[in-house]
Amino acid sequence: MKQHRDTLTALRVSRWVYGGAFLIPFAIMVVVFWHLKITPFGHRNLLFSDMGAQYVPILEYLRTTILHGQFHLFSLSLGTGSGLVPLLTYYVLSPFNLLIFLFPAAQITTALTWIIILKISTIGLTMAIFLRHAFLKTGWSLLLFSTAFSLCGFVTMYFYDMMWLDALIWLPIVALGLHRLVHHHHFGLYTVSLTITILSNYYMGYMTCLFSVLYFIYLTVEHQSTPTPFRTVWQMHWPAIRQFIIGSVLAGGMTMIVLIPTALGMLLTGKSTVITQNYAPSPLFGPEVLAQFGPAGSTYGGHLYHTPSVFMGTLMFLLLIVYFVSPRILAVEKKRSMWLLIAMGLSLLITILNTAWHMFQQPAGFPFRNVYFFTFIAIVTAYRAWQTHPAQTMNDPQKVLALVWGAGLLTIGFISARILPKLYDKVEPTYNNSLYLHSQPAFHLLWLALGLLLVNTMLLFVSEWRPVRIGLMGLVISAELGGSFLIGTHGIGFGSQTAFTKAYKADTALLKQVGATKTKPNLHRIEYLHSTIGRAYQGAYNHYNDPLLFNYAGISSYASTLEEQARVFQHDLGYFSPNVRRISPQGYTHVTDTLLGIKYRLNSYKTPPITALTTYAGIGFAVPDRLARVQLYDQDALTNQQKILTALGVQPNTLASASILNVSHRLATSKDYTNVPDKTTAKIDGDRYLQTITLRVNATGLLHGYSPENNVIYSSLRVNGKKAKPLTNADGYRYVMNFGQHSKGTVLKISYLTANPDAGDHNQFASLNQAAYRRLTKRLAQQRFKLGPTSGVSWISGTVTGTADRQLLYVAIPKTPGWTAKVNGQPVKIQSAMHAQSIIPVVKNYPGMIGIPLQKGENKVTLSYQTPGLKIGAIISLACFALFLVLWFMSEWLRPLEARHAQPKD
C-alpha cells in the first residue's frame, strides 16, 4: 500500500515538474520578448536575418497558397521556377508551423513569435521527460537541467533559424529511445523519434543520426565496471546492436518520401560544390572557446562567424567539473564520459570532422550548428554529478578543487579570447578571422562569470537539500539564461510591426491591380523592383523573396534550395547574383523581359508605380531551332544578349554599341565617396579613382552598361552628374546597368569609382533599338503559346503554331528534371533552349529553358511536372512503415505478452 502511495506521489510530482519544465522557459521568453517589445508584446517584430528574408516570405507563401487552393509542388515564385519539396523539407515541415493558419497575412510575424516561444518551451519539456525516464528520478531539481538545455547558447544564437529548434525538441526523446533500446531492447521510441526528427528538418536530422551512433556506443559500454574487450561487448549487446541497426534503417526508410526528392533537388543547387580546404585536419578555434562557458559570451553582432556557443548556465559548468572530481563516480565511468565529450568536442574543433557533421559543406555563416549535441551531453553529465549529492559526498579540498578548476578554465578562456583571435587575424588576415576577432566576449565579463561561479558553488555545496536552495539555484540560472539571451540579441535590427502591417496591405493592393492576387495562378511574371515592405525592415532589404511573400510569379529568390542552373542562366543574362543562394531582379533589359515572360514591372516609389511592358510575348512562343544551340558565357552578359537576338533573327545593330568619345580618370577624393554606403570597403586594398566616360548613344531606347572585369563601384554611379546607383548594393559583383531611355545621338557622361581605371576600356555600353525590338516581340507574340483555361503551375496546356523557320517552342521555365512534354498527344523529348555557363564557384555548363520541338501547323502542347523521386520515396516509406509496425508489434507487444503468459502461476 505504501509503495502504491509513493508511486502516485511520484507521478503527481512528475506532472508538476513537466508543467514547470514547459512554463519556466515560456515565462523567460515572454519576459525577454516583452522587454524587447516584440509583437505581440510591442511594436517590433523579428524581421531580420534569415527570419525576415526567408522564413516570413516562405511561410506566408505556404499559408496563402494552401488557403487559396493554389498549392503545387512546383512554384514560379522561386526564381524563374523551381520544385518546392526541397524548400518545404528545409524550412517548413515542423508541425508548429500550423500556427500560421490562425493569423492573417499581415500578422504572420506575430505567429512566428509564438512559434519560437512554444518551441523553446517544448525543448524544456522533452528534456525533463528524458531525465525523468532515463534516470528514473523525479523532483524539482530536474527543472534546473531542463531549463538549461531549453535556453542554452545554441538557442540564444540561433533561435531565429527556427527550423533548427525542432531538432533540440526531439533530441532528448531520441536519446531516451536509445536508453530503452539498450536496456530493454525496445526500439520503437528510438525509431519513431528519429523519423520525426528527420522529417521535421533533414539537415539537423542528419546530425542526429551521427549523434545516435556515438551515444549508442557510449550506452553499450556505460555500465561496464571494468574495461571490457570489444568482442565481449559486441556479444553481450548483440540484441541491442541488431535492433539499433534495424531501427536506424527503418527510420531512414520511412523518411525516404522527403529524403529522395530533397536529395535530388539539392543536387541541383550550387551548394554541391566541393571546396578542398573544408577537408583539412586543421583546428577551427583554440582555448578561447572556454570563455563561452561564461554568460553573454556571444551576440548577434558576431553571428556570421564566432566561437561555439557552449553556454548552459554556470551551475551546469560547475557540475560538469564536479563529475570528474567526485569520488562517488568510478574512474572508468569518468573515462567513458570524457571520451564522449572529447568526440563531440572534436566534431566542433577539427575542420574535416566539422564539415562532415554539416553534410560535408562548411556553413556560410551561423557556424558550429552541431554544438547543441555537446551541450546535451554536458548537461546529462552534470545531472549525473548532481545525483551524487556532491555537498555530502565531496570533502572540502575536492570542493575547492572544483571551484579552482572552474575559475581557472574561465580565466584561461577570457585571456585567450583577448590574445589569440588577434594573432589568428594577423597571421592569416581572412574574412572569417576578422569576423572571429570581433565576435569575442568583453574581458570584463570574466568577473561576472567568476562571481556567478562562486555563488553557484556556495549554493551547490550546502549539506542540506532544501526547496529554498533549489529555488535560489533556479532563480540564478533563469536570470543567467534569460540575461544571456537578452544580451545575445544585441546588434539585431528588429523590424517594425506597424510598418509591416501597413506596407503589406499597400503592396498587396498594388499587386491586385495587375491580377497577382487572383485565385487562379498567373503564368506571366511580375518584376516588383521596389515594394514598400522594405520600410518594415531596419536593415537593408533586397526584395529577393517578395514573390513568395506576395504570392506572384517573379524572377528573384533567396533560399538555400535555389537551383543553380536557373540562377546561372539569369546571371549570364546580366542579373545581379551575389552568391549561389540569391538572384535579384536588378539587371533587366527588354531582352530579358521577353525571355522570362515578364508582363508588368512595379516600383512603389515611381509614378505611375505600374508599367505594362510592351515587350511581353507570352510565357512561351515559337522560335528558330538554332536558339537551342546558343551558348551563354559567364561574365559576358551583353554579348550573350546579342547572340540571342541573332538567333531570333533580328536585324543587325538592334543592340547597338555606344561610341566611346573620351575616357578620363583622377584620384578619388573624400567628396566622391558621398554616396558609397560602406566607405571602408570601397577604399580597401589601395586607392580608388573617379573614372568618367563620355559616350554617344547610337540607337533610341534603353542604354545599358556592363563591366566584364567588375571594375565599377556601382553605388558611386552617376549619369550627367545625377545618381544612377542600383536599388540593391551590387558593389563587388556584376550586373547589367540601366542608364535609362535615350535618343540616338545623345552624348552622356558616365562616372564611377574604380580600383582599376585601366580596365574601364573593356566596359560595354549598348542601346536596344526600341522600334526594331518591338517588331521582333510582335512577331514572337503572333506565334505565342496560347494557354488553355485549365492550365496551372505544374500542368500547362495550350496551342502554338509551328512554321518552317520556327520549329521550337520556347517556354520561360528552366529545363529541370521533373518536366515531361507531349505534342499532339505524343511524348516528346524536352530540349534545352540555350545553355548557360558558370565560372564561379566552379566552371560548369548548365541547360537553359524548356524547348519543345514543333510540327508545322497548330500544335497542342502539354507540359506536366512531377517531383523527381517523390513516388519511389513514398513507396519505400510506406513499405518501411509497414515493416516497422510488424517488427514493433512482435518485439514490444507480442513477445513480452507471451513471456508473461509463460511465467508459472503462484
Side-chain angles (χ1 to χ4, degrees):
M1 189 68 176
K2 181 179 181 300
Q3 182 180 3
H4 179 67
R5 286 197 302 270
D6 291 343
T7 302
L8 290 178
T9 301
L11 182 61
R12 285 195 295 269
V13 171
S14 295
R15 289 173 179 174
W16 282 105
V17 168
Y18 292 157
F22 181 89
L23 292 175
I24 290 175
F26 183 93
I28 293 172
M29 288 306 302
V30 167
V31 171
V32 169
F33 281 162
W34 171 81
H35 179 79
L36 294 171
K37 296 180 173 58
I38 302 297
T39 178
F41 312 107
H43 63 279
R44 291 166 146 188
N45 58 29
L46 300 174
L47 290 179
F48 68 93
S49 188
D50 287 352
M51 181 67 76
Q54 298 187 76
Y55 285 99
V56 169
I58 290 169
L59 290 173
E60 173 52 29
Y61 175 80
L62 179 72
R63 194 194 73 84
T64 301
T65 53
I66 290 178
L67 292 179
H68 292 177
Q70 297 177 351
F71 183 77
H72 297 269
L73 291 181
F74 187 87
S75 175
L76 292 176
S77 299
L78 286 169
T80 49
S82 174
L84 205 59
V85 169
L87 188 83
L88 295 176
T89 57
Y90 197 86
Y91 292 99
V92 169
L93 291 186
S94 169
F96 287 87
N97 290 335
L98 294 173
L99 284 174
I100 64 175
F101 295 102
L102 302 179
F103 293 80
Q107 296 294 325
I108 191 169
T109 47
T110 303
L112 298 189
T113 300
W114 285 118
I115 289 173
I116 290 172
I117 292 174
L118 291 175
K119 283 190 176 187
I120 292 174
S121 304
T122 308
I123 293 171
L125 173 61
T126 57
M127 187 63 173
I129 292 173
F130 165 76
L131 294 174
R132 165 68 179 87
H133 290 279
F135 296 96
L136 301 177
K137 290 183 179 292
T138 191
W140 298 108
S141 62
L142 274 178
L143 300 179
L144 301 173
F145 301 86
S146 63
T147 305
F149 188 60
S150 68
L151 288 163
C152 63
F154 177 91
V155 174
T156 296
M157 286 300 293
Y158 300 142
F159 73 94
Y160 45 88
D161 277 300
M162 60 183 196
M163 64 182 177
W164 297 339
L165 296 180
D166 289 75
L168 277 77
I169 292 173
W170 288 104
L171 176 61
I173 307 302
V174 172
L176 179 60
L178 288 170
H179 278 261
R180 287 171 56 86
L181 191 153
V182 172
H183 298 148
H184 306 291
H185 298 166
H186 291 170
F187 72 101
L189 181 62
Y190 163 68
T191 304
V192 170
S193 57
L194 184 61
T195 300
I196 296 174
T197 303
I198 299 172
L199 289 175
S200 296
N201 184 260
Y202 71 89
Y203 180 73
M204 308 306 276
Y206 161 81
M207 295 185 187
T208 303
C209 291
L210 296 182
F211 167 82
S212 297
V213 174
L214 293 176
Y215 197 62
F216 174 76
I217 294 172
Y218 168 75
L219 290 178
T220 57
V221 300
E222 176 188 12
H223 294 299
Q224 306 296 331
S225 58
T226 58
T228 307
F230 173 78
R231 184 174 181 179
T232 304
V233 174
W234 178 274
Q235 292 174 345
M236 291 174 57
H237 291 283
W238 169 243
I241 294 171
R242 182 180 64 244
Q243 288 203 331
F244 175 75
I245 295 172
I246 293 173
S248 300
V249 171
L250 288 176
M254 288 190 287
T255 57
M256 286 298 160
I257 189 171
V258 299
L259 292 185
I260 292 179
T262 297
L264 294 175
M266 292 303 291
L267 287 174
L268 300 177
T269 72
K271 299 182 74 174
S272 58
T273 304
V274 176
I275 301 175
T276 55
Q277 66 186 29
N278 292 338
Y279 296 86
S282 56
L284 291 169
F285 52 85
E288 66 275 6
V289 70
L290 296 171
Q292 294 298 317
F293 284 108
S298 299
T299 67
Y300 176 79
H303 68 283
L304 290 180
Y305 197 80
H306 56 85
T307 319
S309 303
V310 294
F311 181 68
M312 51 189 167
T314 311
L315 176 63
M316 301 298 116
F317 174 60
L318 178 60
L319 283 168
L320 181 61
I321 296 171
V322 166
Y323 180 87
F324 294 100
V325 175
S326 173
R328 287 289 300 274
I329 299 173
L330 297 176
V332 66
E333 293 182 13
K334 293 177 181 179
K335 184 177 180 180
R336 290 162 183 163
S337 297
M338 179 185 67
W339 279 114
L340 180 59
L341 286 167
I342 288 175
M344 297 309 306
L346 290 175
S347 72
L348 300 168
L349 174 65
I350 305 302
T351 302
I352 185 173
L353 299 178
N354 189 269
T355 301
W357 274 81
H358 291 88
M359 295 190 77
F360 298 92
Q361 286 285 332
Q362 272 295 312
F366 315 109
F368 307 112
R369 302 171 185 181
N370 53 329
V371 69
Y372 67 94
F373 294 107
F374 177 90
T375 303
F376 176 79
I377 296 299
I379 292 175
V380 171
T381 305
Y383 187 68
R384 293 175 187 273
W386 175 272
Q387 289 182 311
T388 65
H389 300 285
Q392 301 169 13
T393 59
M394 294 173 63
N395 57 36
D396 289 342
Q398 291 167 338
K399 295 174 183 178
V400 172
L401 180 62
L403 175 62
V404 170
W405 266 105
L409 292 174
L410 288 172
T411 303
I412 291 171
F414 276 93
I415 292 176
S416 299
R418 291 274 290 181
I419 299 172
L420 294 181
K422 293 180 181 179
L423 183 62
Y424 303 153
D425 191 46
K426 185 175 181 179
V427 173
E428 190 176 2
T430 63
Y431 179 65
N432 272 356
N433 279 345
S434 177
L435 293 174
Y436 190 68
L437 172 62
H438 293 95
S439 69
Q440 300 304 314
F443 188 76
H444 68 264
L445 290 173
L446 171 62
W447 313 120
L448 175 63
L450 293 177
L452 288 169
L453 181 67
L454 181 59
V455 169
N456 279 288
T457 301
M458 294 171 63
L459 290 173
L460 178 63
F461 295 132
V462 174
S463 58
E464 298 181 17
W465 292 102
R466 295 179 178 175
V468 65
R469 293 192 174 94
I470 294 179
L472 288 174
M473 287 181 171
L475 289 175
V476 171
I477 198 169
S478 296
E480 278 189 81
L481 296 168
S484 292
F485 192 102
L486 189 61
I487 294 173
T489 62
H490 285 184
I492 292 178
F494 292 108
S496 168
Q497 181 59 27
T498 304
F500 180 80
T501 302
K502 182 178 179 180
Y504 186 89
K505 293 178 180 178
D507 289 332
T508 302
L510 186 62
L511 284 162
K512 187 176 182 180
Q513 296 181 38
V514 295
T517 57
K518 289 182 179 178
T519 302
K520 181 176 174 55
N522 292 310
L523 294 183
H524 63 258
R525 292 194 172 93
I526 297 167
E527 193 174 75
Y528 203 164
L529 290 177
H530 208 19
S531 60
T532 61
I533 202 69
R535 296 173 179 172
Y537 293 75
Q538 184 174 325
Y541 179 71
N542 293 324
H543 304 276
Y544 291 114
N545 278 333
D546 277 3
L548 287 172
L549 181 62
F550 299 108
N551 186 28
Y552 64 86
I555 60 169
S556 60
S557 181
Y558 170 27
S560 294
T561 59
L562 179 63
E563 292 184 1
E564 180 70 350
Q565 146 188 0
R567 186 196 71 85
V568 169
F569 180 79
Q570 287 179 257
H571 189 49
D572 284 357
L573 292 178
Y575 283 99
F576 170 57
S577 177
N579 54 47
V580 297
R581 300 181 303 280
R582 296 171 174 89
I583 187 70
S584 167
Q586 300 296 326
Y588 66 87
T589 68
H590 284 327
V591 176
T592 61
D593 291 341
T594 304
L595 288 174
L596 300 182
I598 300 170
K599 191 173 184 179
Y600 299 101
R601 180 170 291 117
L602 279 60
N603 189 331
S604 296
Y605 297 90
K606 287 192 175 182
T607 304
I610 299 174
T611 301
L613 302 180
T614 58
T615 53
Y616 176 69
I619 192 68
F621 37 80
V623 297
D625 55 10
R626 60 178 173 269
L627 184 68
R629 298 188 291 273
V630 171
Q631 174 66 59
L632 307 180
Y633 291 103
D634 199 357
Q635 305 179 12
D636 206 5
L638 291 181
T639 303
N640 290 336
Q641 294 193 26
Q642 181 59 62
K643 288 182 181 179
I644 294 169
L645 292 174
T646 301
L648 292 175
V650 300
Q651 65 187 53
N653 293 325
T654 298
L655 186 63
S657 297
S659 299
I660 307 299
L661 304 179
N662 184 51
V663 179
S664 63
H665 65 266
R666 62 169 173 78
L667 195 65
T669 65
S670 58
K671 184 179 179 181
D672 298 323
Y673 286 93
T674 303
N675 298 310
V676 178
D678 189 345
K679 297 178 177 60
T680 55
T681 301
K683 290 183 178 179
I684 200 168
D685 294 335
D687 295 325
R688 291 293 185 263
Y689 300 85
L690 181 70
Q691 186 159 59
T692 302
I693 297 178
T694 305
L695 56 82
R696 183 175 59 246
V697 177
N698 290 326
T700 298
L702 284 178
L703 173 66
H704 297 283
Y706 188 72
S707 173
E709 297 187 25
N710 192 24
N711 67 313
V712 175
I713 297 176
Y714 298 100
S715 54
S716 66
L717 269 170
R718 287 179 176 269
V719 178
N720 290 337
K722 295 183 179 180
K723 298 176 184 178
K725 69 176 184 178
L727 297 175
T728 300
N729 182 14
D731 290 347
Y733 304 95
R734 297 174 182 84
Y735 88 110
V736 170
M737 298 167 274
N738 183 350
F739 297 118
Q741 186 86 6
H742 298 282
S743 300
K744 182 178 180 180
T746 302
V747 176
L748 302 173
K749 285 189 176 182
I750 297 174
S751 63
Y752 52 85
L753 293 177
T754 178
N756 184 10
D758 295 334
D761 295 334
H762 300 133
N763 290 344
Q764 304 168 2
F765 300 91
S767 296
L768 188 65
N769 187 316
Q770 186 172 330
Y773 190 72
R774 182 72 186 103
R775 289 193 290 272
L776 169 67
T777 56
K778 284 184 178 179
R779 292 200 306 270
L780 294 175
Q782 289 173 357
Q783 292 178 241
R784 70 180 183 275
F785 188 21
K786 300 175 183 177
L787 303 181
T790 59
S791 288
V793 176
S794 55
W795 193 85
I796 304 171
S797 179
T799 59
V800 60
T801 302
T803 57
D805 60 339
R806 296 189 182 183
Q807 296 185 352
L808 183 72
L809 171 62
Y810 169 89
V811 183
I813 296 175
K815 181 189 176 296
T816 54
W819 285 102
T820 56
K822 289 184 178 180
V823 176
N824 299 324
Q826 298 299 316
V828 296
K829 183 179 180 180
I830 295 177
Q831 300 180 16
S832 174
M834 296 172 281
H835 284 78
Q837 181 201 63
S838 69
I839 295 178
I840 299 173
V842 294
V843 178
K844 192 172 181 180
N845 215 40
Y846 295 91
M849 296 302 211
I850 288 176
I852 301 173
L854 299 175
Q855 302 172 8
K856 293 181 181 179
E858 185 173 274
N859 295 262
K860 184 177 180 181
V861 178
T862 302
L863 277 166
S864 58
Y865 178 83
Q866 289 187 348
T867 303
L870 183 62
K871 184 180 292 185
I872 185 65
I875 293 173
I876 295 174
S877 291
L878 286 173
C880 288
F881 179 66
L883 181 59
F884 165 74
L885 289 178
V886 172
L887 294 177
W888 176 72
F889 177 75
M890 291 177 61
S891 64
E892 297 192 25
W893 284 87
L894 189 60
R895 289 177 184 173
L897 184 64
E898 291 175 348
R900 286 197 297 270
H901 285 309
Q903 290 178 355
K905 296 182 181 180
D906 294 336

